[in-house]
PDB file of all heavy atoms in Angstrom:
ATOM      1  N   TRP T 226       0.565  13.027 -14.583  1.00  0.00           N
ATOM      2  CA  TRP T 226       0.296  11.907 -13.768  1.00  0.00           C
ATOM      3  C   TRP T 226       1.503  11.532 -12.846  1.00  0.00           C
ATOM      4  O   TRP T 226       1.276  10.998 -11.751  1.00  0.00           O
ATOM      5  CB  TRP T 226      -0.050  10.656 -14.610  1.00  0.00           C
ATOM      6  CG  TRP T 226      -1.135  11.051 -15.604  1.00  0.00           C
ATOM      7  CD1 TRP T 226      -0.941  11.236 -16.947  1.00  0.00           C
ATOM      8  CD2 TRP T 226      -2.584  11.263 -15.401  1.00  0.00           C
ATOM      9  NE1 TRP T 226      -2.168  11.576 -17.568  1.00  0.00           N
ATOM     10  CE2 TRP T 226      -3.139  11.554 -16.656  1.00  0.00           C
ATOM     11  CE3 TRP T 226      -3.313  11.189 -14.208  1.00  0.00           C
ATOM     12  CZ2 TRP T 226      -4.575  11.813 -16.714  1.00  0.00           C
ATOM     13  CZ3 TRP T 226      -4.727  11.392 -14.311  1.00  0.00           C
ATOM     14  CH2 TRP T 226      -5.306  11.780 -15.558  1.00  0.00           C
ATOM     15  N   ALA T 227       2.700  11.760 -13.321  1.00  0.00           N
ATOM     16  CA  ALA T 227       3.857  11.448 -12.552  1.00  0.00           C
ATOM     17  C   ALA T 227       5.038  12.429 -12.982  1.00  0.00           C
ATOM     18  O   ALA T 227       5.547  12.260 -14.043  1.00  0.00           O
ATOM     19  CB  ALA T 227       4.368   9.999 -12.726  1.00  0.00           C
ATOM     20  N   ALA T 228       5.221  13.448 -12.144  1.00  0.00           N
ATOM     21  CA  ALA T 228       6.087  14.617 -12.646  1.00  0.00           C
ATOM     22  C   ALA T 228       7.448  14.182 -13.035  1.00  0.00           C
ATOM     23  O   ALA T 228       8.009  14.690 -13.877  1.00  0.00           O
ATOM     24  CB  ALA T 228       6.133  15.633 -11.509  1.00  0.00           C
ATOM     25  N   ASP T 229       8.083  13.121 -12.302  1.00  0.00           N
ATOM     26  CA  ASP T 229       9.362  12.635 -12.641  1.00  0.00           C
ATOM     27  C   ASP T 229       9.337  11.360 -13.425  1.00  0.00           C
ATOM     28  O   ASP T 229      10.359  10.723 -13.604  1.00  0.00           O
ATOM     29  CB  ASP T 229      10.265  12.579 -11.381  1.00  0.00           C
ATOM     30  CG  ASP T 229       9.750  11.582 -10.387  1.00  0.00           C
ATOM     31  OD1 ASP T 229       8.698  10.933 -10.651  1.00  0.00           O
ATOM     32  OD2 ASP T 229      10.410  11.342  -9.374  1.00  0.00           O
ATOM     33  N   GLY T 230       8.141  10.905 -13.713  1.00  0.00           N
ATOM     34  CA  GLY T 230       8.021   9.634 -14.441  1.00  0.00           C
ATOM     35  C   GLY T 230       7.855   8.511 -13.525  1.00  0.00           C
ATOM     36  O   GLY T 230       7.454   7.358 -13.963  1.00  0.00           O
ATOM     37  N   VAL T 231       8.059   8.640 -12.236  1.00  0.00           N
ATOM     38  CA  VAL T 231       7.981   7.566 -11.237  1.00  0.00           C
ATOM     39  C   VAL T 231       6.942   7.930 -10.140  1.00  0.00           C
ATOM     40  O   VAL T 231       6.069   7.079  -9.867  1.00  0.00           O
ATOM     41  CB  VAL T 231       9.351   7.356 -10.584  1.00  0.00           C
ATOM     42  CG1 VAL T 231       9.268   6.346  -9.450  1.00  0.00           C
ATOM     43  CG2 VAL T 231      10.371   6.780 -11.622  1.00  0.00           C
ATOM     44  N   HIS T 232       7.084   9.024  -9.519  1.00  0.00           N
ATOM     45  CA  HIS T 232       6.250   9.346  -8.391  1.00  0.00           C
ATOM     46  C   HIS T 232       4.976  10.120  -8.843  1.00  0.00           C
ATOM     47  O   HIS T 232       5.051  11.157  -9.479  1.00  0.00           O
ATOM     48  CB  HIS T 232       7.074  10.295  -7.382  1.00  0.00           C
ATOM     49  CG  HIS T 232       8.226   9.603  -6.818  1.00  0.00           C
ATOM     50  ND1 HIS T 232       9.470   9.784  -7.419  1.00  0.00           N
ATOM     51  CD2 HIS T 232       8.333   8.823  -5.798  1.00  0.00           C
ATOM     52  CE1 HIS T 232      10.370   9.021  -6.721  1.00  0.00           C
ATOM     53  NE2 HIS T 232       9.708   8.402  -5.702  1.00  0.00           N
ATOM     54  N   PRO T 233       3.810   9.449  -8.459  1.00  0.00           N
ATOM     55  CA  PRO T 233       2.605  10.038  -8.936  1.00  0.00           C
ATOM     56  C   PRO T 233       2.283  11.492  -8.398  1.00  0.00           C
ATOM     57  O   PRO T 233       2.584  11.788  -7.292  1.00  0.00           O
ATOM     58  CB  PRO T 233       1.515   9.062  -8.442  1.00  0.00           C
ATOM     59  CG  PRO T 233       2.257   7.840  -8.183  1.00  0.00           C
ATOM     60  CD  PRO T 233       3.649   8.302  -7.714  1.00  0.00           C
ATOM     61  N   THR T 234       1.596  12.292  -9.213  1.00  0.00           N
ATOM     62  CA  THR T 234       1.032  13.525  -8.742  1.00  0.00           C
ATOM     63  C   THR T 234      -0.240  13.099  -8.004  1.00  0.00           C
ATOM     64  O   THR T 234      -0.693  11.950  -8.015  1.00  0.00           O
ATOM     65  CB  THR T 234       0.679  14.398  -9.930  1.00  0.00           C
ATOM     66  OG1 THR T 234      -0.252  13.672 -10.733  1.00  0.00           O
ATOM     67  CG2 THR T 234       1.965  14.686 -10.731  1.00  0.00           C
ATOM     68  N   PRO T 235      -0.995  14.136  -7.437  1.00  0.00           N
ATOM     69  CA  PRO T 235      -2.256  13.766  -6.841  1.00  0.00           C
ATOM     70  C   PRO T 235      -3.199  13.049  -7.834  1.00  0.00           C
ATOM     71  O   PRO T 235      -3.951  12.151  -7.398  1.00  0.00           O
ATOM     72  CB  PRO T 235      -2.848  15.160  -6.382  1.00  0.00           C
ATOM     73  CG  PRO T 235      -1.558  15.958  -6.007  1.00  0.00           C
ATOM     74  CD  PRO T 235      -0.554  15.483  -7.051  1.00  0.00           C
ATOM     75  N   ALA T 236      -3.186  13.528  -9.060  1.00  0.00           N
ATOM     76  CA  ALA T 236      -4.027  12.917 -10.094  1.00  0.00           C
ATOM     77  C   ALA T 236      -3.607  11.424 -10.322  1.00  0.00           C
ATOM     78  O   ALA T 236      -4.434  10.517 -10.409  1.00  0.00           O
ATOM     79  CB  ALA T 236      -3.989  13.706 -11.396  1.00  0.00           C
ATOM     80  N   GLY T 237      -2.318  11.214 -10.302  1.00  0.00           N
ATOM     81  CA  GLY T 237      -1.836   9.863 -10.476  1.00  0.00           C
ATOM     82  C   GLY T 237      -2.202   9.001  -9.326  1.00  0.00           C
ATOM     83  O   GLY T 237      -2.524   7.742  -9.532  1.00  0.00           O
ATOM     84  N   HIS T 238      -2.130   9.481  -8.087  1.00  0.00           N
ATOM     85  CA  HIS T 238      -2.464   8.711  -6.935  1.00  0.00           C
ATOM     86  C   HIS T 238      -3.887   8.355  -6.946  1.00  0.00           C
ATOM     87  O   HIS T 238      -4.408   7.286  -6.587  1.00  0.00           O
ATOM     88  CB  HIS T 238      -2.125   9.463  -5.621  1.00  0.00           C
ATOM     89  CG  HIS T 238      -0.756   9.306  -5.234  1.00  0.00           C
ATOM     90  ND1 HIS T 238      -0.255   8.124  -4.720  1.00  0.00           N
ATOM     91  CD2 HIS T 238       0.340  10.151  -5.210  1.00  0.00           C
ATOM     92  CE1 HIS T 238       1.020   8.288  -4.381  1.00  0.00           C
ATOM     93  NE2 HIS T 238       1.423   9.514  -4.681  1.00  0.00           N
ATOM     94  N   ALA T 239      -4.807   9.366  -7.494  1.00  0.00           N
ATOM     95  CA  ALA T 239      -6.216   9.087  -7.612  1.00  0.00           C
ATOM     96  C   ALA T 239      -6.471   7.956  -8.551  1.00  0.00           C
ATOM     97  O   ALA T 239      -7.445   7.054  -8.320  1.00  0.00           O
ATOM     98  CB  ALA T 239      -6.910  10.296  -7.964  1.00  0.00           C
ATOM     99  N   VAL T 240      -5.736   7.822  -9.664  1.00  0.00           N
ATOM    100  CA  VAL T 240      -5.864   6.829 -10.626  1.00  0.00           C
ATOM    101  C   VAL T 240      -5.593   5.421  -9.946  1.00  0.00           C
ATOM    102  O   VAL T 240      -6.355   4.411 -10.106  1.00  0.00           O
ATOM    103  CB  VAL T 240      -4.958   7.000 -11.837  1.00  0.00           C
ATOM    104  CG1 VAL T 240      -4.855   5.765 -12.703  1.00  0.00           C
ATOM    105  CG2 VAL T 240      -5.435   8.180 -12.634  1.00  0.00           C
ATOM    106  N   ILE T 241      -4.533   5.373  -9.246  1.00  0.00           N
ATOM    107  CA  ILE T 241      -4.092   4.168  -8.513  1.00  0.00           C
ATOM    108  C   ILE T 241      -5.146   3.732  -7.512  1.00  0.00           C
ATOM    109  O   ILE T 241      -5.600   2.540  -7.436  1.00  0.00           O
ATOM    110  CB  ILE T 241      -2.668   4.286  -7.752  1.00  0.00           C
ATOM    111  CG1 ILE T 241      -1.641   4.600  -8.732  1.00  0.00           C
ATOM    112  CG2 ILE T 241      -2.453   2.992  -6.943  1.00  0.00           C
ATOM    113  CD1 ILE T 241      -0.252   4.932  -8.101  1.00  0.00           C
ATOM    114  N   ALA T 242      -5.708   4.673  -6.699  1.00  0.00           N
ATOM    115  CA  ALA T 242      -6.678   4.361  -5.761  1.00  0.00           C
ATOM    116  C   ALA T 242      -7.979   3.837  -6.400  1.00  0.00           C
ATOM    117  O   ALA T 242      -8.585   2.859  -5.924  1.00  0.00           O
ATOM    118  CB  ALA T 242      -7.095   5.661  -5.012  1.00  0.00           C
ATOM    119  N   GLU T 243      -8.382   4.405  -7.531  1.00  0.00           N
ATOM    120  CA  GLU T 243      -9.491   3.867  -8.285  1.00  0.00           C
ATOM    121  C   GLU T 243      -9.323   2.414  -8.735  1.00  0.00           C
ATOM    122  O   GLU T 243     -10.202   1.624  -8.514  1.00  0.00           O
ATOM    123  CB  GLU T 243      -9.880   4.782  -9.393  1.00  0.00           C
ATOM    124  CG  GLU T 243     -11.099   4.328 -10.197  1.00  0.00           C
ATOM    125  CD  GLU T 243     -11.321   5.148 -11.422  1.00  0.00           C
ATOM    126  OE1 GLU T 243     -10.444   5.946 -11.836  1.00  0.00           O
ATOM    127  OE2 GLU T 243     -12.361   5.006 -12.109  1.00  0.00           O
ATOM    128  N   GLN T 244      -8.191   2.186  -9.264  1.00  0.00           N
ATOM    129  CA  GLN T 244      -7.939   0.884  -9.734  1.00  0.00           C
ATOM    130  C   GLN T 244      -7.818  -0.169  -8.570  1.00  0.00           C
ATOM    131  O   GLN T 244      -8.265  -1.332  -8.700  1.00  0.00           O
ATOM    132  CB  GLN T 244      -6.601   0.783 -10.600  1.00  0.00           C
ATOM    133  CG  GLN T 244      -6.665   1.618 -11.816  1.00  0.00           C
ATOM    134  CD  GLN T 244      -7.789   1.145 -12.723  1.00  0.00           C
ATOM    135  OE1 GLN T 244      -7.950  -0.028 -13.013  1.00  0.00           O
ATOM    136  NE2 GLN T 244      -8.535   2.092 -13.356  1.00  0.00           N
ATOM    137  N   TRP T 245      -7.313   0.232  -7.522  1.00  0.00           N
ATOM    138  CA  TRP T 245      -7.116  -0.594  -6.293  1.00  0.00           C
ATOM    139  C   TRP T 245      -8.490  -0.977  -5.788  1.00  0.00           C
ATOM    140  O   TRP T 245      -8.729  -2.173  -5.419  1.00  0.00           O
ATOM    141  CB  TRP T 245      -6.286   0.179  -5.225  1.00  0.00           C
ATOM    142  CG  TRP T 245      -5.863  -0.765  -4.063  1.00  0.00           C
ATOM    143  CD1 TRP T 245      -4.658  -1.321  -3.848  1.00  0.00           C
ATOM    144  CD2 TRP T 245      -6.770  -1.112  -2.952  1.00  0.00           C
ATOM    145  NE1 TRP T 245      -4.651  -2.033  -2.730  1.00  0.00           N
ATOM    146  CE2 TRP T 245      -5.921  -1.851  -2.001  1.00  0.00           C
ATOM    147  CE3 TRP T 245      -8.027  -0.767  -2.474  1.00  0.00           C
ATOM    148  CZ2 TRP T 245      -6.367  -2.360  -0.856  1.00  0.00           C
ATOM    149  CZ3 TRP T 245      -8.473  -1.255  -1.297  1.00  0.00           C
ATOM    150  CH2 TRP T 245      -7.718  -2.067  -0.486  1.00  0.00           C
ATOM    151  N   ARG T 246      -9.348  -0.052  -5.669  1.00  0.00           N
ATOM    152  CA  ARG T 246     -10.605  -0.316  -5.056  1.00  0.00           C
ATOM    153  C   ARG T 246     -11.469  -1.316  -6.017  1.00  0.00           C
ATOM    154  O   ARG T 246     -12.221  -2.186  -5.499  1.00  0.00           O
ATOM    155  CB  ARG T 246     -11.463   0.913  -4.878  1.00  0.00           C
ATOM    156  CG  ARG T 246     -10.969   1.813  -3.722  1.00  0.00           C
ATOM    157  CD  ARG T 246     -11.971   2.844  -3.373  1.00  0.00           C
ATOM    158  NE  ARG T 246     -13.132   2.258  -2.748  1.00  0.00           N
ATOM    159  CZ  ARG T 246     -14.252   2.922  -2.594  1.00  0.00           C
ATOM    160  NH1 ARG T 246     -14.349   4.177  -2.944  1.00  0.00           N
ATOM    161  NH2 ARG T 246     -15.291   2.299  -1.932  1.00  0.00           N
ATOM    162  N   ARG T 247     -11.286  -1.201  -7.289  1.00  0.00           N
ATOM    163  CA  ARG T 247     -11.933  -2.128  -8.202  1.00  0.00           C
ATOM    164  C   ARG T 247     -11.337  -3.589  -7.973  1.00  0.00           C
ATOM    165  O   ARG T 247     -12.180  -4.529  -7.962  1.00  0.00           O
ATOM    166  CB  ARG T 247     -11.646  -1.771  -9.632  1.00  0.00           C
ATOM    167  CG  ARG T 247     -12.432  -0.443 -10.075  1.00  0.00           C
ATOM    168  CD  ARG T 247     -12.121  -0.167 -11.581  1.00  0.00           C
ATOM    169  NE  ARG T 247     -12.874   0.976 -11.985  1.00  0.00           N
ATOM    170  CZ  ARG T 247     -12.730   1.574 -13.225  1.00  0.00           C
ATOM    171  NH1 ARG T 247     -11.967   0.964 -14.115  1.00  0.00           N
ATOM    172  NH2 ARG T 247     -13.396   2.653 -13.559  1.00  0.00           N
ATOM    173  N   ALA T 248     -10.088  -3.623  -7.797  1.00  0.00           N
ATOM    174  CA  ALA T 248      -9.496  -4.958  -7.566  1.00  0.00           C
ATOM    175  C   ALA T 248      -9.769  -5.555  -6.312  1.00  0.00           C
ATOM    176  O   ALA T 248     -10.017  -6.773  -6.062  1.00  0.00           O
ATOM    177  CB  ALA T 248      -7.967  -4.893  -7.765  1.00  0.00           C
ATOM    178  N   ALA T 249      -9.898  -4.746  -5.245  1.00  0.00           N
ATOM    179  CA  ALA T 249     -10.208  -5.164  -3.819  1.00  0.00           C
ATOM    180  C   ALA T 249     -11.658  -5.411  -3.594  1.00  0.00           C
ATOM    181  O   ALA T 249     -12.008  -5.965  -2.595  1.00  0.00           O
ATOM    182  CB  ALA T 249      -9.602  -4.239  -2.835  1.00  0.00           C
TER     183      ALA T 249
END
Side-chain angles (χ1 to χ4, degrees):
W226 309 105
D229 62 355
V231 172
H232 297 95
T234 61
H238 277 291
V240 169
I241 299 173
E243 179 184 10
Q244 296 300 316
W245 190 98
R246 291 194 66 193
R247 290 181 180 178

